Amino acid sequence: DQQVKQNSPSLSVQEGRISILNCDYTNSMFDYFLWYKKYPAEGPTFLISISSIKDKNEDGRFTVFLNKSAKHLSLHIVPSQPGDSAVYFCAASESSNYQLIWGAGTKLIIKP
Amino acid sequence: DAMVIQNPRYQVTQFGKPVTLSCSQTLNHNVMYWYQQKSSQAPKLLFHYYDKDFNNEADTPDNFQSRRPNTSFCFLDIRSPGLGDAAMYLCATSRDRSSETQYFGPGTRLLVL
């Protein structure tokens, strides 16, 4: 049973436009959510996180939105740049458990 | 810069020949994790250390062992690598165990011949 779902395996966006990556979860006990970016042959790089007490967190070009009632979060990248082309993983955790529960990832392709 | 370092970046071993991968961190984090990642799948947690306390995942094969001699270093030992163990091995750290960001090293790509 997948507790964290990224339903789009890939997404293609024009350079300069907004990229929106989506993530859904089923476990209402999750209280901390993270986005990681991964280039081929490298480890995941932490991008941005959000606690369940917030509905938005912003860091430069990256904004994460959390909708707890819908159990949905999204990552907005604006403007999208060629270097943003990578696989993006959504992950979640709950305060009583050390494990990060990962989505399957979305491959983002930024077209010049 | 504070970081998570993994050596080597690429490791080639023979079927059945023991191999050790290393990880060090300058973040002074209490928790260190080892993950296995194949192709672009999500990382799979093998085990973690909370300080000196070792925690094995239920489905981690006995072939995989770990050592943490001090706060900064953690090792992954694969006693008898099989072809199915070829993967990227990721080390990560976090300050504490729950609701904390995990920071990953660059990974070691293991090839088994």
Side-chain angles (χ1 to χ4, degrees):
Chain A
D1 177 32
Q2 263 190 303
Q3 297 186 65
V4 177
K5 297 178 185 178
Q6 294 178 256
N7 291 318
S8 299
S10 67
L11 176 68
S12 186
V13 174
Q14 201 74 37
E15 181 180 357
R17 305 293 289 268
I18 184 171
S19 295
I20 300 176
L21 297 112
N22 293 303
C23 180
D24 296 295
Y25 62 95
T26 57
N27 186 345
S28 58
M29 299 301 291
F30 288 148
D31 57 10
Y32 193 63
F33 304 87
L34 310 94
W35 284 95
Y36 286 88
K37 171 181 176 180
K38 187 183 179 308
Y39 292 121
E42 292 187 14
T45 302
F46 169 69
L47 269 180
I48 192 167
S49 63
I50 188 166
S51 162
S52 60
I53 61 174
K54 293 186 173 182
D55 54 18
K56 177 182 175 182
N57 190 24
E58 194 170 352
D59 184 2
R61 295 185 300 114
F62 302 92
T63 304
V64 57
F65 295 92
L66 176 62
N67 182 334
K68 287 188 290 294
S69 60
K71 294 193 180 69
H72 177 82
L73 67 155
S74 60
L75 174 68
H76 292 211
I77 307 173
V78 56
S80 300
Q81 298 174 354
D84 297 329
S85 295
V87 177
Y88 288 78
F89 287 98
C90 167
S93 70
E94 55 179 290
S95 54
S96 63
N97 194 326
Y98 58 86
Q99 279 202 351
L100 276 183
I101 308 300
W102 296 79
T106 296
K107 183 175 183 179
L108 177 65
I109 300 163
I110 305 300
K111 299 179 291 185
Chain B
D1 283 344
M3 55 180 17
V4 181
I5 302 160
Q6 289 187 247
N7 286 305
R9 293 294 310 277
Y10 298 92
Q11 176 74 56
V12 181
T13 190
Q14 290 179 328
F15 183 93
K17 185 175 180 181
V19 66
T20 294
L21 310 181
S22 73
C23 176
S24 64
Q25 54 127 342
T26 60
L27 295 158
N28 204 31
H29 281 172
N30 287 321
V31 194
M32 294 186 78
Y33 307 81
W34 279 104
Y35 287 86
Q36 181 192 66
Q37 186 173 32
K38 295 190 174 182
S39 65
S40 284
Q41 297 175 17
K44 179 182 183 301
L45 182 64
L46 296 172
F47 27 59
H48 77 277
Y49 271 96
Y50 181 63
D51 195 13
K52 296 180 182 179
D53 182 27
F54 177 70
N55 298 270
N56 199 27
E57 294 304 300
D59 57 353
T60 298
D62 292 339
N63 199 24
F64 292 88
Q65 303 287 322
S66 185
R67 297 170 282 136
R68 189 179 186 187
N70 54 52
T71 301
S72 302
F73 286 86
C74 196
F75 300 97
L76 170 63
D77 300 307
I78 309 177
R79 292 194 296 191
S80 181
L83 298 178
D85 297 327
M88 173 78 85
Y89 289 89
L90 299 165
C91 175
T93 74
S94 66
R95 188 177 52 185
D96 206 332
R97 268 201 294 206
S98 55
S99 299
E100 290 277 348
T101 301
Q102 292 184 20
Y103 296 92
F104 285 80
T108 295
R109 170 73 64 187
L110 178 67
L111 181 62
V112 181
L113 301 178

